[in-house]
Amino acid sequence: MTTTPTREPTSAVVPAHTLIPMVGTPAAVVPSATANSGGIGGAVIGTLLSATILAAMIAAAVNIMLARRKSREEERARLRDRFAQAYGAYAEYCEFAYAVRRRRHDDRPAERVRISEELRKVQAMLSAHEAWVKLESETVGKVYAKLLQEMRKIAGGAMRQAWTDKPVTSDAAVNIPPETVDLSPLKPFEAAYMEAVAAHLRALAPWWSR
């Protein structure tokens, strides 16, 4: 009988490095320089674009405001000039109370024609100005109409009296005293017109300039 020899169990040879437990330490993921710079650059570009757009919007708003202000100032200047022209026509009518007295005494028929024609032109201007002022402002129009009404009563009355009086024949007589032609009663109506025009123009002024 053959006896098989008993072998001792052979332990497997394990490499030394496998016996040391591998403890994994989390490694910090550091973004690359390219990615990092790209993020910062994008933020900077976005900020710059936002600032540029905001600046453009502000500039546009300022330009619009300035354009509107210029347009309104030009409109007020135009109205101021028209109101002044209306007053100028009134003042020109009042001057005829003196002009009639200073007419030439050596050619009365020609002087009647000349002065009457000039007065006709002024009357036409007054009618046009009165219509325009009423269309522009009902308030100012009423005041201007009252001014013209008193003008025809006071200055017109002095003019009618001048036609019946003899024209001046000397240089000294050209100086017409207030006792002869007194237009001072028109002063309150002139002041009322000026105040009405000023109030109308103030209402058209921009709120920041009032």
PDB file of all heavy atoms in Angstrom, residues 142-180:
ATOM      1  N   LYS A 142     -59.114 138.107 -23.936  1.00  0.00           N
ATOM      2  CA  LYS A 142     -60.089 138.999 -23.300  1.00  0.00           C
ATOM      3  C   LYS A 142     -59.415 140.287 -22.811  1.00  0.00           C
ATOM      4  O   LYS A 142     -59.966 141.378 -22.962  1.00  0.00           O
ATOM      5  CB  LYS A 142     -60.758 138.282 -22.134  1.00  0.00           C
ATOM      6  CG  LYS A 142     -61.697 137.158 -22.549  1.00  0.00           C
ATOM      7  CD  LYS A 142     -62.326 136.493 -21.340  1.00  0.00           C
ATOM      8  CE  LYS A 142     -63.275 135.384 -21.765  1.00  0.00           C
ATOM      9  NZ  LYS A 142     -63.889 134.698 -20.587  1.00  0.00           N
ATOM     10  N   VAL A 143     -58.224 140.140 -22.240  1.00  0.00           N
ATOM     11  CA  VAL A 143     -57.509 141.313 -21.743  1.00  0.00           C
ATOM     12  C   VAL A 143     -57.097 142.219 -22.901  1.00  0.00           C
ATOM     13  O   VAL A 143     -57.188 143.462 -22.818  1.00  0.00           O
ATOM     14  CB  VAL A 143     -56.280 140.883 -20.917  1.00  0.00           C
ATOM     15  CG1 VAL A 143     -55.484 142.094 -20.456  1.00  0.00           C
ATOM     16  CG2 VAL A 143     -56.714 140.058 -19.710  1.00  0.00           C
ATOM     17  N   TYR A 144     -56.642 141.614 -23.990  1.00  0.00           N
ATOM     18  CA  TYR A 144     -56.226 142.404 -25.158  1.00  0.00           C
ATOM     19  C   TYR A 144     -57.427 143.111 -25.789  1.00  0.00           C
ATOM     20  O   TYR A 144     -57.327 144.275 -26.217  1.00  0.00           O
ATOM     21  CB  TYR A 144     -55.546 141.503 -26.179  1.00  0.00           C
ATOM     22  CG  TYR A 144     -54.928 142.238 -27.337  1.00  0.00           C
ATOM     23  CD1 TYR A 144     -53.827 143.064 -27.157  1.00  0.00           C
ATOM     24  CD2 TYR A 144     -55.438 142.093 -28.632  1.00  0.00           C
ATOM     25  CE1 TYR A 144     -53.249 143.737 -28.223  1.00  0.00           C
ATOM     26  CE2 TYR A 144     -54.868 142.763 -29.705  1.00  0.00           C
ATOM     27  CZ  TYR A 144     -53.783 143.577 -29.498  1.00  0.00           C
ATOM     28  OH  TYR A 144     -53.207 144.251 -30.561  1.00  0.00           O
ATOM     29  N   ALA A 145     -58.548 142.416 -25.864  1.00  0.00           N
ATOM     30  CA  ALA A 145     -59.756 143.032 -26.412  1.00  0.00           C
ATOM     31  C   ALA A 145     -60.189 144.232 -25.565  1.00  0.00           C
ATOM     32  O   ALA A 145     -60.623 145.267 -26.102  1.00  0.00           O
ATOM     33  CB  ALA A 145     -60.879 142.006 -26.494  1.00  0.00           C
ATOM     34  N   LYS A 146     -60.070 144.098 -24.255  1.00  0.00           N
ATOM     35  CA  LYS A 146     -60.396 145.221 -23.369  1.00  0.00           C
ATOM     36  C   LYS A 146     -59.436 146.381 -23.586  1.00  0.00           C
ATOM     37  O   LYS A 146     -59.852 147.556 -23.585  1.00  0.00           O
ATOM     38  CB  LYS A 146     -60.348 144.749 -21.914  1.00  0.00           C
ATOM     39  CG  LYS A 146     -60.738 145.827 -20.900  1.00  0.00           C
ATOM     40  CD  LYS A 146     -62.184 146.259 -21.063  1.00  0.00           C
ATOM     41  CE  LYS A 146     -62.601 147.246 -20.002  1.00  0.00           C
ATOM     42  NZ  LYS A 146     -63.991 147.731 -20.194  1.00  0.00           N
ATOM     43  N   LEU A 147     -58.165 146.073 -23.786  1.00  0.00           N
ATOM     44  CA  LEU A 147     -57.171 147.111 -24.049  1.00  0.00           C
ATOM     45  C   LEU A 147     -57.519 147.869 -25.332  1.00  0.00           C
ATOM     46  O   LEU A 147     -57.459 149.109 -25.361  1.00  0.00           O
ATOM     47  CB  LEU A 147     -55.780 146.484 -24.164  1.00  0.00           C
ATOM     48  CG  LEU A 147     -54.637 147.418 -24.554  1.00  0.00           C
ATOM     49  CD1 LEU A 147     -54.405 148.482 -23.493  1.00  0.00           C
ATOM     50  CD2 LEU A 147     -53.355 146.622 -24.797  1.00  0.00           C
ATOM     51  N   LEU A 148     -57.899 147.152 -26.381  1.00  0.00           N
ATOM     52  CA  LEU A 148     -58.254 147.805 -27.639  1.00  0.00           C
ATOM     53  C   LEU A 148     -59.539 148.620 -27.506  1.00  0.00           C
ATOM     54  O   LEU A 148     -59.677 149.686 -28.120  1.00  0.00           O
ATOM     55  CB  LEU A 148     -58.399 146.763 -28.751  1.00  0.00           C
ATOM     56  CG  LEU A 148     -57.147 145.945 -29.101  1.00  0.00           C
ATOM     57  CD1 LEU A 148     -57.396 145.108 -30.346  1.00  0.00           C
ATOM     58  CD2 LEU A 148     -55.929 146.829 -29.277  1.00  0.00           C
ATOM     59  N   GLN A 149     -60.453 148.118 -26.709  1.00  0.00           N
ATOM     60  CA  GLN A 149     -61.698 148.859 -26.492  1.00  0.00           C
ATOM     61  C   GLN A 149     -61.424 150.219 -25.843  1.00  0.00           C
ATOM     62  O   GLN A 149     -61.950 151.251 -26.281  1.00  0.00           O
ATOM     63  CB  GLN A 149     -62.639 148.037 -25.607  1.00  0.00           C
ATOM     64  CG  GLN A 149     -63.949 148.732 -25.281  1.00  0.00           C
ATOM     65  CD  GLN A 149     -64.806 147.899 -24.339  1.00  0.00           C
ATOM     66  OE1 GLN A 149     -64.566 146.722 -24.126  1.00  0.00           O
ATOM     67  NE2 GLN A 149     -65.819 148.515 -23.761  1.00  0.00           N
ATOM     68  N   GLU A 150     -60.588 150.205 -24.813  1.00  0.00           N
ATOM     69  CA  GLU A 150     -60.248 151.463 -24.153  1.00  0.00           C
ATOM     70  C   GLU A 150     -59.370 152.337 -25.045  1.00  0.00           C
ATOM     71  O   GLU A 150     -59.440 153.567 -24.984  1.00  0.00           O
ATOM     72  CB  GLU A 150     -59.529 151.172 -22.831  1.00  0.00           C
ATOM     73  CG  GLU A 150     -60.384 150.444 -21.827  1.00  0.00           C
ATOM     74  CD  GLU A 150     -61.626 151.253 -21.444  1.00  0.00           C
ATOM     75  OE1 GLU A 150     -61.503 152.482 -21.269  1.00  0.00           O
ATOM     76  OE2 GLU A 150     -62.711 150.649 -21.304  1.00  0.00           O
ATOM     77  N   MET A 151     -58.552 151.704 -25.871  1.00  0.00           N
ATOM     78  CA  MET A 151     -57.709 152.448 -26.805  1.00  0.00           C
ATOM     79  C   MET A 151     -58.564 153.265 -27.760  1.00  0.00           C
ATOM     80  O   MET A 151     -58.290 154.458 -28.004  1.00  0.00           O
ATOM     81  CB  MET A 151     -56.834 151.467 -27.583  1.00  0.00           C
ATOM     82  CG  MET A 151     -56.026 152.085 -28.715  1.00  0.00           C
ATOM     83  SD  MET A 151     -55.516 150.834 -29.936  1.00  0.00           S
ATOM     84  CE  MET A 151     -57.100 150.483 -30.744  1.00  0.00           C
ATOM     85  N   ARG A 152     -59.578 152.635 -28.325  1.00  0.00           N
ATOM     86  CA  ARG A 152     -60.442 153.345 -29.269  1.00  0.00           C
ATOM     87  C   ARG A 152     -61.227 154.454 -28.576  1.00  0.00           C
ATOM     88  O   ARG A 152     -61.533 155.487 -29.188  1.00  0.00           O
ATOM     89  CB  ARG A 152     -61.383 152.354 -29.944  1.00  0.00           C
ATOM     90  CG  ARG A 152     -60.666 151.353 -30.859  1.00  0.00           C
ATOM     91  CD  ARG A 152     -61.629 150.473 -31.623  1.00  0.00           C
ATOM     92  NE  ARG A 152     -60.913 149.600 -32.539  1.00  0.00           N
ATOM     93  CZ  ARG A 152     -60.581 148.344 -32.261  1.00  0.00           C
ATOM     94  NH1 ARG A 152     -60.918 147.826 -31.072  1.00  0.00           N
ATOM     95  NH2 ARG A 152     -59.921 147.614 -33.140  1.00  0.00           N
ATOM     96  N   LYS A 153     -61.532 154.239 -27.320  1.00  0.00           N
ATOM     97  CA  LYS A 153     -62.283 155.257 -26.580  1.00  0.00           C
ATOM     98  C   LYS A 153     -61.389 156.450 -26.228  1.00  0.00           C
ATOM     99  O   LYS A 153     -61.780 157.610 -26.449  1.00  0.00           O
ATOM    100  CB  LYS A 153     -62.853 154.647 -25.296  1.00  0.00           C
ATOM    101  CG  LYS A 153     -63.686 155.612 -24.476  1.00  0.00           C
ATOM    102  CD  LYS A 153     -64.028 155.001 -23.124  1.00  0.00           C
ATOM    103  CE  LYS A 153     -64.758 153.669 -23.254  1.00  0.00           C
ATOM    104  NZ  LYS A 153     -65.112 153.122 -21.912  1.00  0.00           N
ATOM    105  N   ILE A 154     -60.186 156.177 -25.709  1.00  0.00           N
ATOM    106  CA  ILE A 154     -59.328 157.257 -25.209  1.00  0.00           C
ATOM    107  C   ILE A 154     -58.441 157.825 -26.317  1.00  0.00           C
ATOM    108  O   ILE A 154     -58.484 159.024 -26.619  1.00  0.00           O
ATOM    109  CB  ILE A 154     -58.488 156.749 -24.028  1.00  0.00           C
ATOM    110  CG1 ILE A 154     -59.415 156.308 -22.882  1.00  0.00           C
ATOM    111  CG2 ILE A 154     -57.510 157.819 -23.558  1.00  0.00           C
ATOM    112  CD1 ILE A 154     -58.706 155.608 -21.752  1.00  0.00           C
ATOM    113  N   ALA A 155     -57.612 156.943 -26.925  1.00  0.00           N
ATOM    114  CA  ALA A 155     -56.728 157.417 -27.998  1.00  0.00           C
ATOM    115  C   ALA A 155     -57.541 157.815 -29.228  1.00  0.00           C
ATOM    116  O   ALA A 155     -57.224 158.805 -29.905  1.00  0.00           O
ATOM    117  CB  ALA A 155     -55.716 156.339 -28.353  1.00  0.00           C
ATOM    118  N   GLY A 156     -58.596 157.045 -29.516  1.00  0.00           N
ATOM    119  CA  GLY A 156     -59.447 157.387 -30.657  1.00  0.00           C
ATOM    120  C   GLY A 156     -60.159 158.718 -30.440  1.00  0.00           C
ATOM    121  O   GLY A 156     -60.304 159.517 -31.381  1.00  0.00           O
ATOM    122  N   GLY A 157     -60.600 158.958 -29.207  1.00  0.00           N
ATOM    123  CA  GLY A 157     -61.237 160.243 -28.907  1.00  0.00           C
ATOM    124  C   GLY A 157     -60.277 161.406 -29.075  1.00  0.00           C
ATOM    125  O   GLY A 157     -60.637 162.463 -29.618  1.00  0.00           O
ATOM    126  N   ALA A 158     -59.028 161.213 -28.633  1.00  0.00           N
ATOM    127  CA  ALA A 158     -58.018 162.263 -28.803  1.00  0.00           C
ATOM    128  C   ALA A 158     -57.711 162.486 -30.277  1.00  0.00           C
ATOM    129  O   ALA A 158     -57.454 163.623 -30.711  1.00  0.00           O
ATOM    130  CB  ALA A 158     -56.750 161.876 -28.049  1.00  0.00           C
ATOM    131  N   MET A 159     -57.758 161.434 -31.057  1.00  0.00           N
ATOM    132  CA  MET A 159     -57.506 161.553 -32.492  1.00  0.00           C
ATOM    133  C   MET A 159     -58.640 162.319 -33.185  1.00  0.00           C
ATOM    134  O   MET A 159     -58.391 163.180 -34.038  1.00  0.00           O
ATOM    135  CB  MET A 159     -57.375 160.149 -33.101  1.00  0.00           C
ATOM    136  CG  MET A 159     -56.826 160.121 -34.511  1.00  0.00           C
ATOM    137  SD  MET A 159     -56.958 158.488 -35.269  1.00  0.00           S
ATOM    138  CE  MET A 159     -56.288 157.448 -33.954  1.00  0.00           C
ATOM    139  N   ARG A 160     -59.852 161.991 -32.827  1.00  0.00           N
ATOM    140  CA  ARG A 160     -60.994 162.703 -33.419  1.00  0.00           C
ATOM    141  C   ARG A 160     -60.937 164.196 -33.085  1.00  0.00           C
ATOM    142  O   ARG A 160     -61.247 165.041 -33.930  1.00  0.00           O
ATOM    143  CB  ARG A 160     -62.293 162.081 -32.932  1.00  0.00           C
ATOM    144  CG  ARG A 160     -62.579 160.711 -33.542  1.00  0.00           C
ATOM    145  CD  ARG A 160     -63.961 160.218 -33.174  1.00  0.00           C
ATOM    146  NE  ARG A 160     -64.072 159.924 -31.746  1.00  0.00           N
ATOM    147  CZ  ARG A 160     -63.786 158.747 -31.207  1.00  0.00           C
ATOM    148  NH1 ARG A 160     -63.327 157.750 -31.974  1.00  0.00           N
ATOM    149  NH2 ARG A 160     -63.930 158.554 -29.914  1.00  0.00           N
ATOM    150  N   GLN A 161     -60.537 164.506 -31.865  1.00  0.00           N
ATOM    151  CA  GLN A 161     -60.408 165.910 -31.477  1.00  0.00           C
ATOM    152  C   GLN A 161     -59.290 166.582 -32.258  1.00  0.00           C
ATOM    153  O   GLN A 161     -59.395 167.756 -32.642  1.00  0.00           O
ATOM    154  CB  GLN A 161     -60.132 166.004 -29.973  1.00  0.00           C
ATOM    155  CG  GLN A 161     -60.029 167.421 -29.447  1.00  0.00           C
ATOM    156  CD  GLN A 161     -61.317 168.213 -29.639  1.00  0.00           C
ATOM    157  OE1 GLN A 161     -62.423 167.694 -29.443  1.00  0.00           O
ATOM    158  NE2 GLN A 161     -61.193 169.488 -30.032  1.00  0.00           N
ATOM    159  N   ALA A 162     -58.229 165.852 -32.528  1.00  0.00           N
ATOM    160  CA  ALA A 162     -57.098 166.413 -33.272  1.00  0.00           C
ATOM    161  C   ALA A 162     -57.496 166.782 -34.694  1.00  0.00           C
ATOM    162  O   ALA A 162     -56.988 167.765 -35.258  1.00  0.00           O
ATOM    163  CB  ALA A 162     -55.946 165.419 -33.287  1.00  0.00           C
ATOM    164  N   TRP A 163     -58.394 166.001 -35.302  1.00  0.00           N
ATOM    165  CA  TRP A 163     -58.830 166.323 -36.665  1.00  0.00           C
ATOM    166  C   TRP A 163     -59.625 167.636 -36.701  1.00  0.00           C
ATOM    167  O   TRP A 163     -59.610 168.348 -37.719  1.00  0.00           O
ATOM    168  CB  TRP A 163     -59.689 165.200 -37.235  1.00  0.00           C
ATOM    169  CG  TRP A 163     -58.925 164.022 -37.750  1.00  0.00           C
ATOM    170  CD1 TRP A 163     -58.957 162.753 -37.269  1.00  0.00           C
ATOM    171  CD2 TRP A 163     -58.032 163.988 -38.866  1.00  0.00           C
ATOM    172  NE1 TRP A 163     -58.139 161.922 -37.990  1.00  0.00           N
ATOM    173  CE2 TRP A 163     -57.549 162.665 -38.983  1.00  0.00           C
ATOM    174  CE3 TRP A 163     -57.561 164.952 -39.758  1.00  0.00           C
ATOM    175  CZ2 TRP A 163     -56.641 162.277 -39.968  1.00  0.00           C
ATOM    176  CZ3 TRP A 163     -56.654 164.562 -40.747  1.00  0.00           C
ATOM    177  CH2 TRP A 163     -56.203 163.243 -40.847  1.00  0.00           C
ATOM    178  N   THR A 164     -60.313 167.944 -35.652  1.00  0.00           N
ATOM    179  CA  THR A 164     -61.087 169.187 -35.625  1.00  0.00           C
ATOM    180  C   THR A 164     -60.230 170.395 -35.260  1.00  0.00           C
ATOM    181  O   THR A 164     -60.593 171.528 -35.592  1.00  0.00           O
ATOM    182  CB  THR A 164     -62.246 169.067 -34.614  1.00  0.00           C
ATOM    183  OG1 THR A 164     -61.716 168.863 -33.300  1.00  0.00           O
ATOM    184  CG2 THR A 164     -63.168 167.920 -34.984  1.00  0.00           C
ATOM    185  N   ASP A 165     -59.122 170.157 -34.571  1.00  0.00           N
ATOM    186  CA  ASP A 165     -58.224 171.259 -34.214  1.00  0.00           C
ATOM    187  C   ASP A 165     -57.300 171.586 -35.388  1.00  0.00           C
ATOM    188  O   ASP A 165     -57.060 170.762 -36.282  1.00  0.00           O
ATOM    189  CB  ASP A 165     -57.385 170.897 -32.992  1.00  0.00           C
ATOM    190  CG  ASP A 165     -58.241 170.738 -31.734  1.00  0.00           C
ATOM    191  OD1 ASP A 165     -59.389 171.245 -31.736  1.00  0.00           O
ATOM    192  OD2 ASP A 165     -57.757 170.105 -30.788  1.00  0.00           O
ATOM    193  N   LYS A 166     -56.763 172.764 -35.353  1.00  0.00           N
ATOM    194  CA  LYS A 166     -55.844 173.169 -36.401  1.00  0.00           C
ATOM    195  C   LYS A 166     -54.510 172.454 -36.242  1.00  0.00           C
ATOM    196  O   LYS A 166     -54.052 172.222 -35.121  1.00  0.00           O
ATOM    197  CB  LYS A 166     -55.627 174.678 -36.349  1.00  0.00           C
ATOM    198  CG  LYS A 166     -56.874 175.491 -36.703  1.00  0.00           C
ATOM    199  CD  LYS A 166     -56.559 176.972 -36.656  1.00  0.00           C
ATOM    200  CE  LYS A 166     -57.777 177.799 -37.036  1.00  0.00           C
ATOM    201  NZ  LYS A 166     -57.489 179.259 -37.016  1.00  0.00           N
ATOM    202  N   PRO A 167     -53.865 172.069 -37.325  1.00  0.00           N
ATOM    203  CA  PRO A 167     -52.544 171.432 -37.229  1.00  0.00           C
ATOM    204  C   PRO A 167     -51.505 172.430 -36.742  1.00  0.00           C
ATOM    205  O   PRO A 167     -51.684 173.648 -36.853  1.00  0.00           O
ATOM    206  CB  PRO A 167     -52.256 170.993 -38.663  1.00  0.00           C
ATOM    207  CG  PRO A 167     -53.064 171.922 -39.514  1.00  0.00           C
ATOM    208  CD  PRO A 167     -54.306 172.223 -38.727  1.00  0.00           C
ATOM    209  N   VAL A 168     -50.416 171.921 -36.204  1.00  0.00           N
ATOM    210  CA  VAL A 168     -49.360 172.781 -35.678  1.00  0.00           C
ATOM    211  C   VAL A 168     -48.664 173.487 -36.838  1.00  0.00           C
ATOM    212  O   VAL A 168     -48.558 172.957 -37.954  1.00  0.00           O
ATOM    213  CB  VAL A 168     -48.342 171.964 -34.863  1.00  0.00           C
ATOM    214  CG1 VAL A 168     -49.016 171.298 -33.677  1.00  0.00           C
ATOM    215  CG2 VAL A 168     -47.665 170.921 -35.743  1.00  0.00           C
ATOM    216  N   THR A 169     -48.199 174.668 -36.554  1.00  0.00           N
ATOM    217  CA  THR A 169     -47.524 175.473 -37.591  1.00  0.00           C
ATOM    218  C   THR A 169     -46.134 175.924 -37.164  1.00  0.00           C
ATOM    219  O   THR A 169     -45.482 176.668 -37.899  1.00  0.00           O
ATOM    220  CB  THR A 169     -48.371 176.722 -37.913  1.00  0.00           C
ATOM    221  OG1 THR A 169     -48.586 177.473 -36.706  1.00  0.00           O
ATOM    222  CG2 THR A 169     -49.712 176.321 -38.518  1.00  0.00           C
ATOM    223  N   SER A 170     -45.676 175.460 -36.000  1.00  0.00           N
ATOM    224  CA  SER A 170     -44.341 175.851 -35.533  1.00  0.00           C
ATOM    225  C   SER A 170     -43.669 174.662 -34.864  1.00  0.00           C
ATOM    226  O   SER A 170     -44.324 173.692 -34.464  1.00  0.00           O
ATOM    227  CB  SER A 170     -44.432 177.012 -34.540  1.00  0.00           C
ATOM    228  OG  SER A 170     -45.125 176.617 -33.372  1.00  0.00           O
ATOM    229  N   ASP A 171     -42.349 174.745 -34.745  1.00  0.00           N
ATOM    230  CA  ASP A 171     -41.599 173.667 -34.107  1.00  0.00           C
ATOM    231  C   ASP A 171     -41.986 173.525 -32.638  1.00  0.00           C
ATOM    232  O   ASP A 171     -42.044 172.407 -32.110  1.00  0.00           O
ATOM    233  CB  ASP A 171     -40.106 173.940 -34.228  1.00  0.00           C
ATOM    234  CG  ASP A 171     -39.625 173.857 -35.671  1.00  0.00           C
ATOM    235  OD1 ASP A 171     -40.354 173.250 -36.497  1.00  0.00           O
ATOM    236  OD2 ASP A 171     -38.547 174.405 -35.960  1.00  0.00           O
ATOM    237  N   ALA A 172     -42.215 174.633 -31.984  1.00  0.00           N
ATOM    238  CA  ALA A 172     -42.560 174.583 -30.564  1.00  0.00           C
ATOM    239  C   ALA A 172     -43.882 173.869 -30.340  1.00  0.00           C
ATOM    240  O   ALA A 172     -44.071 173.167 -29.328  1.00  0.00           O
ATOM    241  CB  ALA A 172     -42.624 175.994 -29.994  1.00  0.00           C
ATOM    242  N   ALA A 173     -44.800 174.004 -31.287  1.00  0.00           N
ATOM    243  CA  ALA A 173     -46.114 173.376 -31.139  1.00  0.00           C
ATOM    244  C   ALA A 173     -46.069 171.866 -31.340  1.00  0.00           C
ATOM    245  O   ALA A 173     -47.044 171.157 -31.038  1.00  0.00           O
ATOM    246  CB  ALA A 173     -47.101 174.009 -32.116  1.00  0.00           C
ATOM    247  N   VAL A 174     -44.941 171.343 -31.856  1.00  0.00           N
ATOM    248  CA  VAL A 174     -44.816 169.884 -32.039  1.00  0.00           C
ATOM    249  C   VAL A 174     -44.816 169.178 -30.686  1.00  0.00           C
ATOM    250  O   VAL A 174     -45.256 168.027 -30.565  1.00  0.00           O
ATOM    251  CB  VAL A 174     -43.544 169.561 -32.830  1.00  0.00           C
ATOM    252  CG1 VAL A 174     -43.286 168.056 -32.848  1.00  0.00           C
ATOM    253  CG2 VAL A 174     -43.668 170.095 -34.247  1.00  0.00           C
ATOM    254  N   ASN A 175     -44.324 169.836 -29.654  1.00  0.00           N
ATOM    255  CA  ASN A 175     -44.352 169.272 -28.309  1.00  0.00           C
ATOM    256  C   ASN A 175     -45.772 169.405 -27.744  1.00  0.00           C
ATOM    257  O   ASN A 175     -46.203 170.488 -27.353  1.00  0.00           O
ATOM    258  CB  ASN A 175     -43.359 169.997 -27.400  1.00  0.00           C
ATOM    259  CG  ASN A 175     -41.935 169.830 -27.874  1.00  0.00           C
ATOM    260  OD1 ASN A 175     -41.531 168.737 -28.246  1.00  0.00           O
ATOM    261  ND2 ASN A 175     -41.175 170.916 -27.890  1.00  0.00           N
ATOM    262  N   ILE A 176     -46.467 168.290 -27.737  1.00  0.00           N
ATOM    263  CA  ILE A 176     -47.872 168.295 -27.328  1.00  0.00           C
ATOM    264  C   ILE A 176     -47.951 167.974 -25.840  1.00  0.00           C
ATOM    265  O   ILE A 176     -47.526 166.883 -25.413  1.00  0.00           O
ATOM    266  CB  ILE A 176     -48.675 167.280 -28.149  1.00  0.00           C
ATOM    267  CG1 ILE A 176     -48.572 167.640 -29.637  1.00  0.00           C
ATOM    268  CG2 ILE A 176     -50.130 167.250 -27.710  1.00  0.00           C
ATOM    269  CD1 ILE A 176     -49.196 166.628 -30.561  1.00  0.00           C
ATOM    270  N   PRO A 177     -48.480 168.850 -25.026  1.00  0.00           N
ATOM    271  CA  PRO A 177     -48.512 168.629 -23.575  1.00  0.00           C
ATOM    272  C   PRO A 177     -49.562 167.587 -23.193  1.00  0.00           C
ATOM    273  O   PRO A 177     -50.505 167.314 -23.957  1.00  0.00           O
ATOM    274  CB  PRO A 177     -48.886 170.008 -23.023  1.00  0.00           C
ATOM    275  CG  PRO A 177     -49.650 170.660 -24.132  1.00  0.00           C
ATOM    276  CD  PRO A 177     -49.037 170.164 -25.403  1.00  0.00           C
ATOM    277  N   PRO A 178     -49.420 166.970 -22.014  1.00  0.00           N
ATOM    278  CA  PRO A 178     -50.398 165.970 -21.554  1.00  0.00           C
ATOM    279  C   PRO A 178     -51.800 166.536 -21.404  1.00  0.00           C
ATOM    280  O   PRO A 178     -52.776 165.778 -21.468  1.00  0.00           O
ATOM    281  CB  PRO A 178     -49.826 165.523 -20.202  1.00  0.00           C
ATOM    282  CG  PRO A 178     -48.386 165.893 -20.242  1.00  0.00           C
ATOM    283  CD  PRO A 178     -48.287 167.108 -21.081  1.00  0.00           C
ATOM    284  N   GLU A 179     -51.914 167.827 -21.187  1.00  0.00           N
ATOM    285  CA  GLU A 179     -53.246 168.409 -21.063  1.00  0.00           C
ATOM    286  C   GLU A 179     -54.008 168.352 -22.383  1.00  0.00           C
ATOM    287  O   GLU A 179     -55.242 168.285 -22.395  1.00  0.00           O
ATOM    288  CB  GLU A 179     -53.130 169.878 -20.626  1.00  0.00           C
ATOM    289  CG  GLU A 179     -52.562 170.077 -19.227  1.00  0.00           C
ATOM    290  CD  GLU A 179     -51.045 169.960 -19.209  1.00  0.00           C
ATOM    291  OE1 GLU A 179     -50.441 169.983 -20.316  1.00  0.00           O
ATOM    292  OE2 GLU A 179     -50.468 169.840 -18.111  1.00  0.00           O
ATOM    293  N   THR A 180     -53.261 168.324 -23.488  1.00  0.00           N
ATOM    294  CA  THR A 180     -53.898 168.263 -24.808  1.00  0.00           C
ATOM    295  C   THR A 180     -54.217 166.831 -25.207  1.00  0.00           C
ATOM    296  O   THR A 180     -55.318 166.529 -25.679  1.00  0.00           O
ATOM    297  CB  THR A 180     -52.997 168.907 -25.869  1.00  0.00           C
ATOM    298  OG1 THR A 180     -52.694 170.254 -25.476  1.00  0.00           O
ATOM    299  CG2 THR A 180     -53.667 168.922 -27.228  1.00  0.00           C
TER     300      THR A 180
END
